[in-house]
Amino acid sequence: MSITSPLSICPISSTSRKLPSSGYFFSPPISRFRSSCITIPSTSLHLSSLSRQRGKRGTVCCSSMPLEQISSPQLQCSLLYSRAYWVTRSLIAWNIDIADGSCYLYASRTAGLVVTEDGIQGHEVKIKLEVENSGLPSNVVEKFPHIRHNRVFRVPTSVDVKSLVKCQLAVASFHSDGQCSNATGLQLPGVIDDLFAYGGPLGAVFTKEAVSLYLWAPTAQAVSAIIYGDSSGGVPLESVQLEEVDGVWSAHGPRNWEGCYYVYEVSVYHPSTLRIETCMANDPYARGLSSDGKRTLLVNLDCDALKPDGWDALADEKPKLSSFSDISIYELHIRDFSASDQTVHPDFHGGYLAFTLQDSAGVLHLKKLAYAGLTHVHLLPTFQFAGVDDEKKWKHVDTDMLATLPPDSDQQQARVTEIQDDDGYNWGYNPVLWGVPKGSYASNPNGSCRTVEFRKMVQALNRIGLRVILDVVYNHLHGSGPLDDYSVLDKVVPGYYLRRNSDGCIENSTCINNTASEHFMVERLILDDLLCWAVDYKVKAKNALQSLSKEKNGVDGSTIYIYGEGWDFGEVAKNGRGINASQFNLCGIGIGSFNDRIRDAVLGGSPFGHPLQQGFVTGLSLQPNSHDHGDKTSMDHMLAVSQDYIQVGMAANLRDFVLTNHEGVEVKGSEVLTHDQLPVAYALCPIETINYVSAHDNETLFDIVSMKTPVEISVDERCRINHLATSIVALSQGIPFFHSGDELLRSKSLDRDSYNSGDWFNRLDFSYNTNNWGVGLPPKEKNEKNWPLIKPRLADPSFKPQKRHILAAVENFSNMLRIRYSSPLFRLRTANSIQRRVRFHNTGPSSVPGVIVMSIEDGYEGMPGLAQLDPIYSCIVIIFNVCPTEVSFGCPALQKRTLKLHPVQLTSTDQIVKNSKYETSSGSFIVPPRTTSVFVESRDI
């Protein structure tokens, strides 16, 4: 999808580091991707609205002024803006009224333009523009809807536009008396797409005889490739001048360039400095890098030396996947996985190779989950990102000393944040180059080591039964401008790759430096990058990837599933920059998006609301905490509404699914409305819904439960609530998504945004000895306002789970996966099948509060009506009781069935669930407090 925002090969999001950037994910069969005509939402807080990147320089614009009222001093700084748009070869759009005046286009190849009262001086070219009264053509409005009402000016056909785009450009308007009334620079992506859209080779191309370099840089005045023999330092082996044809610069070198490094020297006008700059840039199509990320490695990914044994046959070894509805996802950070695992060799801590150790605690844990049914591991960013030194010259905290401090001390966070920009930790949402594996996760960041080790990681995960998803984050870049070490694309074609506002300043709603995926070559770069990951690393993305075959490409494109956040905000909200990849726009095309409705209803509030606001599982109305939720009537109503939201979500959040709401009225999912009157449901098929209650952003599930539940309840009860929340996700229709550690009662000591909180707060313990609760107050920057609520909870030893709690949580989670994969009825493939088979029973005004009852019916072989899908069970009933007491529920529609507790629960060590009962004659169920009970009707009875 040409999503105008991030793609994640499968966040997506939180309030600080990444705004919910409609991130998309890319995976062996899962991914975040942008179709060729959808704008990737520049998302805001998951993928962040405020940059989590310290010391970042953004583009600075003068404060806005009315376009028609520019005084003489203001006129002189008007070229700092780019308020006009050159949208096609012949049309320029500018939101200005010249009345009976005139308008001119100016160009200077030396960037010598200056504005005076007499107009623009320092130009080599001056062209009169004619007013085009017919307005912008429909195809331009579709691409740039935000300028649909701008005045249009026509460029004469005699103008050499291809040469002009290499210059500093400006337009100026004049009154009829010849006095200059306004002036501004131009934004060029429209005309660049019109003249220079290109589908040929880019990057380094290897043949038997030569290595060829291709760089798309239509605005550059000169390009050279400087070749080095080493990853850093040294004298260049040679400098090669590239030749240009229609905006593509190329050079051809000897085959022995392979293994060398290079950097492009690009001479180009840069609008952020108003100068011709000589930029040193990596190749946007880099497939390898030096350890400091400043040189591109000439690496041939098809070289046999870079392939682990059996790599070319991996497509045939990948775990089988009959349907996208069978997918379940486990979100994991590479460093979290092994940084604290004492069963992993220190050389492999926090890196790719930790996944290849078959007997480590972490790998054994993943094997356990895969055996229970888990299908996919979603890895947080694995591409080259800023914020972590690849050469591992890291600072470290004294963990032994930190462990001696009180659980509510502020000293742990002080020590962690003191070195947080110099340690080995960051989530990685600071993209530099999307197409290269991150060097800090490799044992050697130079050469081809990162390629080989990444492939070994994918191969190892596939061989234990797990496919791999990559979080690709195409919605923003860490660097911009001609000087930033982390800037790449904005050095090669300044002003093109990054989306700009009406003043010409870079948009930052996704976090910083929003990418403009609505531009042709930005979209192409994203698609080419996805193809690289799919073919060369065998982790998979939609349209362009669907044609891939095992025979030709080594991957099966039909197994690629794409999903993302789908938030609708920032400058692309409401299709402000073309059709964006929001939840409502994605329906009907088979791309998944995160269902925040079920998350908020289950837990209460939202990630941006009051931290004590309760929800369905955390005690709303049934066991209130100290927060003012209103009177009892109000709380009862909120609980009833939340049950409606959850039931819609459990039916895959299908837009047309019909259910009975809390008022007793039959409604469609799209007719159940949120507090701001938006439809709860938006999906047209089950795979378009990713159900979740926690992710890397915001607090962990256990931390949220510990914050929202009353302080007086026991840790045993909190652990059961944690399990209740994960069981709702595990047993819903649609795609279940779990944050790593949901099954371990994982805590980050109530840190709401641990993107840069180090190993200390992000620790995962696969020995099951600790869940990391109470390791100090979470970092001040994002959590200080909640310290008064956090501190007494961390100080109270009764909040901390013991090993027995963690072991029980792991078993309960595994059991929910086993139950999900025990019957295809939990994984229905079509909306019609869900509508005909799924039913909710405890509904309407007389329903029992805090209880959701869902049944799933199957047909019988050779009988009319429903087709038989499950050879073992003919009916399944799932009851979620979030009440602190046992409940009894009678259902006439479920009388005279032969329902029994699911065998997985009957054989579990959870003694409480075994007290669940069903009485045939009355159709009555008894369910223990805070318990999910699954009843099945076997066909052999």
Side-chain angles (χ1 to χ4, degrees):
M1 2 185 243
S2 146
I3 312 169
T4 300
S5 167
L7 288 190
S8 223
I9 292 180
C10 184
I12 89 275
S13 313
S14 98
T15 39
S16 45
R17 166 221 37 115
K18 320 171 292 169
L19 262 166
S21 97
S22 198
Y24 279 73
F25 305 89
F26 167 51
S27 108
I30 287 158
S31 290
R32 276 207 231 185
F33 154 103
R34 75 163 271 197
S35 84
S36 51
C37 64
I38 297 184
T39 296
I40 294 177
S42 60
T43 289
S44 49
L45 240 69
H46 163 176
L47 292 160
S48 254
S49 70
L50 299 177
S51 171
R52 297 186 168 183
Q53 311 159 78
R54 292 189 163 201
K56 281 294 299 151
R57 296 179 307 155
T59 300
V60 179
C61 288
C62 298
S63 59
S64 294
M65 347 168 170
L67 296 178
E68 311 293 337
Q69 303 171 8
I70 297 185
S71 66
S72 179
Q74 293 168 341
L75 195 63
Q76 292 172 13
C77 78
S78 59
L79 296 189
L80 293 174
Y81 300 95
S82 295
R83 288 170 166 164
Y85 301 79
W86 199 337
V87 292
T88 70
R89 187 222 165 277
S90 58
L91 298 178
I92 291 174
W94 189 12
N95 189 23
I96 190 172
D97 183 4
I98 64 169
D100 57 351
S102 57
C103 186
Y104 288 85
L105 170 67
Y106 299 86
S108 170
R109 192 171 177 86
T110 59
L113 300 182
V114 293
V115 182
T116 69
E117 291 185 9
D118 297 325
I120 293 181
Q121 307 296 322
H123 56 271
E124 293 106 41
V125 177
K126 177 180 179 181
I127 301 163
K128 185 173 183 179
L129 303 176
E130 299 299 329
V131 174
E132 175 61 58
N133 291 317
S134 58
L136 290 171
S138 59
N139 64 315
V140 174
V141 172
E142 182 179 1
K143 185 169 184 175
F144 304 115
H146 58 296
I147 61 170
R148 67 175 69 232
H149 300 302
N150 281 14
R151 176 62 62 90
V152 182
F153 300 88
R154 183 166 291 279
V155 181
T157 57
S158 59
V159 172
D160 182 2
V161 177
K162 289 187 176 182
S163 295
L164 286 189
V165 298
K166 297 179 181 297
C167 303
Q168 181 188 18
L169 297 170
V171 288
S173 63
F174 296 83
H175 295 303
S176 57
D177 61 4
Q179 183 180 4
C180 184
S181 58
N182 212 329
T184 188
L186 287 92
Q187 299 188 34
L188 303 181
V191 68
I192 289 175
D193 280 353
D194 194 24
L195 295 180
F196 298 104
Y198 170 73
L202 289 171
V205 177
F206 295 83
T207 64
K208 289 183 179 180
E209 300 78 24
V211 177
S212 299
L213 300 177
Y214 298 90
L215 179 71
W216 184 77
T219 62
Q221 296 183 0
V223 177
S224 297
I226 303 173
I227 312 296
Y228 294 90
D230 298 309
S231 59
S232 62
V235 177
L237 299 178
E238 57 183 310
S239 179
V240 180
Q241 181 70 43
L242 277 67
E243 311 242 333
E244 183 193 12
V245 176
D246 290 334
V248 178
W249 300 77
S250 64
H252 307 283
R255 196 63 175 77
N256 62 11
W257 272 5
E258 183 175 358
C260 293
Y261 293 84
Y262 67 105
V263 64
Y264 284 124
E265 183 180 86
V266 182
S267 177
V268 65
Y269 172 74
H270 209 292
S272 70
T273 62
L274 306 183
R275 296 172 52 184
I276 305 298
E277 300 282 0
T278 299
C279 300
M280 309 304 291
N282 277 304
D283 192 330
Y285 277 72
R287 297 298 177 244
L289 288 171
S290 59
S291 60
D292 60 6
K294 293 181 180 178
R295 294 177 184 174
T296 300
L297 175 66
L298 282 158
V299 58
N300 179 9
L301 297 182
D302 199 38
C303 174
D304 288 341
L306 305 187
K307 299 176 181 178
D309 290 344
W311 178 254
D312 286 334
L314 187 61
D316 294 322
E317 293 183 44
K318 284 189 177 290
K320 301 304 178 189
L321 189 71
S322 300
S323 165
F324 290 158
S325 292
D326 294 334
I327 290 169
S328 53
I329 302 168
Y330 184 80
E331 183 194 42
L332 180 64
H333 184 267
I334 286 180
R335 184 164 179 84
D336 287 353
F337 176 67
S338 61
S340 303
D341 190 341
Q342 297 308 304
T343 65
V344 172
H345 190 282
D347 290 346
F348 294 170
H349 276 168
Y352 300 126
L353 292 181
F355 291 89
T356 69
L357 305 176
Q358 293 302 300
D359 295 322
S360 72
V363 169
L364 290 175
H365 182 76
L366 290 182
K367 287 180 178 179
K368 182 183 300 183
L369 299 184
Y371 180 76
L374 186 73
T375 65
H376 288 75
V377 169
H378 167 143
L379 297 175
L380 267 65
T382 59
F383 49 74
Q384 185 67 16
F385 59 81
V388 175
D389 175 31
D390 286 351
E391 295 181 321
K392 301 181 174 64
K393 297 174 182 176
W394 303 329
K395 294 181 180 179
H396 302 272
V397 294
D398 183 344
T399 56
D400 290 337
M401 185 278 291
L402 295 186
T404 66
L405 296 171
D408 61 335
S409 169
D410 65 356
Q411 289 304 298
Q412 296 94 327
Q413 63 87 31
R415 302 297 175 87
V416 168
T417 56
E418 202 171 66
I419 64 163
Q420 66 180 3
D421 296 324
D422 299 303
D423 65 1
Y425 197 90
N426 197 289
W427 279 350
Y429 293 91
N430 311 323
V432 176
L433 280 163
W434 294 315
V436 184
K438 175 61 177 169
S440 64
Y441 295 143
S443 56
N444 181 357
N446 285 307
S448 57
C449 186
R450 61 177 86 190
T451 293
V452 175
E453 293 183 2
F454 190 99
R455 287 173 166 175
K456 287 182 176 179
M457 173 186 69
V458 172
Q459 186 178 57
L461 285 165
N462 285 176
R463 287 178 172 173
I464 65 171
L466 296 168
R467 289 176 175 250
V468 180
I469 296 166
L470 301 185
D471 193 333
V472 293
V473 195
Y474 290 129
N475 68 330
H476 69 275
L477 289 164
H478 186 71
S480 63
L483 303 176
D484 192 323
D485 285 344
Y486 296 116
S487 176
V488 177
L489 300 182
D490 200 42
K491 290 179 178 178
V492 175
V493 191
Y496 178 81
Y497 285 97
L498 303 178
R499 187 178 301 126
R500 295 194 282 171
N501 65 18
S502 59
D503 285 333
C505 301
I506 296 171
E507 294 279 12
N508 295 309
S509 62
T510 64
C511 180
I512 195 167
N513 298 323
N514 295 4
T515 48
S517 55
E518 64 271 27
H519 301 162
F520 182 88
M521 294 301 287
V522 183
E523 180 183 75
R524 184 193 157 175
L525 176 59
I526 291 170
L527 294 175
D528 287 346
D529 186 70
L530 291 176
L531 286 167
C532 171
W533 287 109
V535 174
D536 295 316
Y537 293 98
K538 305 200 187 304
V539 289
K540 308 171 189 174
K542 196 157 171 156
N543 299 339
L545 302 183
Q546 296 261 319
S547 61
L548 299 177
S549 67
K550 287 194 292 186
E551 295 73 25
K552 181 180 178 182
N553 309 105
V555 294
D556 180 1
S558 68
T559 64
I560 294 171
Y561 168 67
I562 299 161
Y563 67 96
E565 288 168 343
W567 315 140
D568 190 32
F569 70 96
E571 74 278 5
V572 304
K574 296 179 173 56
N575 303 322
R577 294 295 182 98
I579 300 173
N580 69 11
S582 65
Q583 291 166 329
F584 294 103
N585 287 337
L586 290 175
C587 68
I589 61 177
I591 292 174
S593 64
F594 284 91
N595 181 8
D596 53 334
R597 279 75 153 166
I598 197 170
R599 176 200 67 190
D600 295 346
V602 168
L603 300 176
S606 78
F608 318 113
H610 195 284
L612 295 185
Q613 191 168 345
Q614 292 178 295
F616 181 67
V617 304
T618 53
L620 177 61
S621 181
L622 302 170
Q623 204 165 21
N625 59 22
S626 59
H627 181 64
D628 182 8
H629 293 86
D631 59 21
K632 177 62 174 170
T633 300
S634 297
M635 289 191 289
D636 288 346
H637 175 72
M638 292 167 61
L639 179 62
V641 169
S642 73
Q643 292 185 207
D644 285 349
Y645 289 8
I646 294 167
Q647 288 170 164
V648 172
M650 294 193 69
N653 218 44
L654 293 173
R655 190 174 73 183
D656 297 325
F657 180 82
V658 177
L659 73 161
T660 302
N661 69 10
H662 67 280
E663 295 174 332
V665 179
E666 277 201 353
V667 294
K668 291 181 178 180
S670 59
E671 295 170 334
V672 178
L673 303 179
T674 65
H675 68 280
D676 50 1
Q677 301 304 297
L678 291 174
V680 167
Y682 51 80
L684 287 181
C685 67
I687 64 169
E688 292 174 353
T689 293
I690 307 291
N691 282 320
Y692 76 116
V693 289
S694 69
H696 63 277
D697 274 320
N698 311 310
E699 296 89 345
T700 67
L701 174 59
F702 182 80
D703 283 350
I704 291 174
V705 169
S706 298
M707 180 67 87
K708 292 179 180 291
T709 51
V711 294
E712 62 270 13
I713 72 170
S714 70
V715 68
D716 292 343
E717 292 173 286
R718 291 193 183 92
C719 292
R720 291 197 71 81
I721 292 170
N722 190 101
H723 175 54
L724 263 170
T726 57
S727 68
I728 289 173
V729 173
L731 302 180
S732 292
Q733 303 294 327
I735 309 297
F737 178 100
F738 306 100
H739 177 221
S740 55
D742 281 352
E743 78 287 10
L744 302 170
L745 308 175
R746 181 184 187 178
S747 172
K748 296 180 182 178
S749 212
L750 290 165
D751 190 349
R752 67 168 283 101
D753 187 8
S754 68
Y755 81 100
N756 202 17
S757 298
D759 296 327
W760 180 255
F761 287 100
N762 286 286
R763 181 185 181 193
L764 269 174
D765 182 8
F766 292 116
S767 71
Y768 311 142
N769 286 313
T770 176
N771 76 330
N772 212 43
W773 172 268
V775 296
L777 286 168
K780 180 177 182 178
E781 180 186 4
K782 304 295 175 61
N783 300 281
E784 185 181 20
K785 70 177 183 180
N786 289 328
W787 276 4
L789 295 173
I790 293 171
K791 189 175 177 65
R793 287 166 170 80
L794 295 180
D796 187 340
S798 71
F799 274 73
K800 185 176 180 64
Q802 304 303 308
K803 184 170 185 175
R804 63 181 176 85
H805 294 113
I806 299 170
L807 289 171
V810 173
E811 182 195 8
N812 284 335
F813 183 85
S814 299
N815 285 346
M816 285 299 113
L817 286 175
R818 291 170 63 196
I819 289 171
R820 179 176 183 84
Y821 289 97
S822 70
S823 171
L825 298 179
F826 287 110
R827 310 183 310 279
L828 298 173
R829 300 181 181 183
T830 68
N832 181 59
S833 187
I834 291 174
Q835 183 63 70
R836 296 184 67 197
R837 298 168 186 269
V838 174
R839 184 178 175 188
F840 293 96
H841 298 277
N842 181 37
T843 59
S846 61
S847 62
V848 179
V851 178
I852 290 177
V853 182
M854 179 175 75
S855 66
I856 316 173
E857 292 282 352
D858 200 13
Y860 293 85
E861 194 77 43
M863 300 290 288
L866 295 174
Q868 180 178 318
L869 302 178
D870 189 339
I872 301 174
Y873 303 126
S874 58
C875 178
I876 299 175
V877 177
I878 310 100
I879 303 180
F880 304 92
N881 174 25
V882 302
C883 301
T885 57
E886 176 182 278
V887 297
S888 177
F889 168 74
C891 181
L894 295 174
Q895 287 178 325
K896 304 192 184 309
R897 308 298 295 250
T898 55
L899 293 164
K900 293 184 178 180
L901 196 63
H902 197 289
V904 168
Q905 293 189 311
L906 278 174
T907 58
S908 75
T909 61
D910 182 357
Q911 299 303 313
I912 294 177
V913 74
K914 294 178 183 179
N915 293 322
S916 305
K917 299 287 189 298
Y918 166 73
E919 205 284 313
T920 301
S921 61
S922 63
S924 294
F925 297 85
I926 295 175
V927 180
R930 295 195 170 105
T931 296
T932 297
S933 301
V934 181
F935 297 88
V936 291
E937 183 175 71
S938 297
R939 293 187 184 277
D940 57 1
I941 296 178

